[in-house]
């Protein structure tokens, strides 16, 4: 709801994160305050990384779709979910996607949950592929460094002889 509001009105982030449409702070239970803090983290992180998130979403749209064509509620769901998948350490992409689909079923248009599921699934798979590729590259670099160190040690021993 907050990101949708920001997208429509461009309310300053600080004002948005007060959640003025909700209860007064003194009326929140400890659990609600914790949820509000988590929501603030997700919303501000999404806004801070919006260009990268939008580029990622856009790159997974078919050629007949543009960002402008996406329903604002669906776009808010896609943006926050993409933020969680890409930037929130320890998040489980499958759970994030499942939550996004459930939110879309409740608040989105009729079949928006299918669209959201497809886009987030593609994003998650691509990010996993990049992560695995990065691990492979790091492993190769480690092996090269180890081989180089072994060669230097071998040359050092030969020089002593």
């Amino acid at each position: 709801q907050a990101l949708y509001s920001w997208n429509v009105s461009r309310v300053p982030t600080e004002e948005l994160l007060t959640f003025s449409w909700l209860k007064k702070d003194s009326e929140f239970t400890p659990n609600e305050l914790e949820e509000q803090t988590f929501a603030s983290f997700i919303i501000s992180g999404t806004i801070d990384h919006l260009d990268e998130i939008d580029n990622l979403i856009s790159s997974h749209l078919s050629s007949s779709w543009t960002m402008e064509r996406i329903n604002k509620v669906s776009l808010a769901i896609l943006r926050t979910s993409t933020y969680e998948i890409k930037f929130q350490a320890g998040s489980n992409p499958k759970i994030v996607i499942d939550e996004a689909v459930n939110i879309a079923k409740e608040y989105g248009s009729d079949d928006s949950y299918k669209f959201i599921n497809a886009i987030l699934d593609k994003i998650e798979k691509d990010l996993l592929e990049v992560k695995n590729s990065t691990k492979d590259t790091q492993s190769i670099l480690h092996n090269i460094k180890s081989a180089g160190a072994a060669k230097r040690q071998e040359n050092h021993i030969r020089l002593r002889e």
Side-chain angles (χ1 to χ4, degrees):
Q1 186 177 359
L3 197 58
Y4 172 83
S5 177
W6 178 83
N7 193 44
V8 172
S9 65
R10 297 297 174 171
V11 172
T13 306
E14 299 78 29
E15 184 180 329
L16 182 70
L17 296 179
T18 64
F19 299 97
S20 60
W21 64 91
L22 299 174
K23 307 177 212 177
K24 295 179 184 174
D25 280 348
S26 61
E27 298 172 355
F28 283 107
T29 66
N31 278 348
E32 290 172 328
L33 285 172
E34 189 175 314
E35 288 172 5
Q36 185 178 353
T37 301
F38 180 72
S40 296
F41 175 75
I42 297 298
I43 293 162
S44 62
T46 300
I47 292 170
D48 288 346
H49 296 280
L50 195 62
D51 288 340
E52 188 173 353
I53 289 168
D54 282 355
N55 287 335
L56 195 53
I57 293 168
S58 182
S59 71
H60 291 85
L61 297 175
S62 70
S63 59
S64 63
W65 276 86
T66 63
M67 292 291 285
E68 293 76 26
R69 187 174 169 200
I70 301 173
N71 169 293
K72 299 298 182 203
V73 171
S74 296
L75 184 58
I77 295 168
L78 281 170
R79 284 173 166 169
T80 55
S81 300
T82 300
Y83 170 78
E84 287 186 70
I85 292 168
K86 181 165 176 62
F87 295 103
Q88 193 173 2
S91 71
N92 181 328
K94 299 295 182 202
I95 292 172
V96 172
I97 294 169
D98 189 50
E99 289 175 354
V101 166
N102 288 333
I103 292 168
K105 284 179 179 177
E106 187 168 344
Y107 299 104
S109 57
D110 291 341
D111 287 338
S112 64
Y113 72 93
K114 294 176 184 177
F115 174 76
I116 288 169
N117 185 57
I119 298 298
L120 292 176
D121 188 58
K122 289 178 188 176
I123 289 171
E124 188 254 338
K125 285 179 180 167
D126 282 356
L127 291 175
L128 184 61
E129 188 176 301
V130 168
K131 184 178 179 181
N132 289 337
S133 173
T134 301
K135 282 182 182 178
D136 290 345
T137 301
Q138 289 173 344
S139 177
I140 291 168
L141 290 174
H142 175 75
N143 291 341
I144 290 170
K145 287 179 183 176
S146 296
K151 188 70 172 172
R152 284 191 301 278
Q153 186 175 13
E154 183 181 307
N155 288 339
H156 181 71
I157 292 171
R158 282 189 191 147
L159 290 174
R160 289 174 142 182
E161 296 174 346

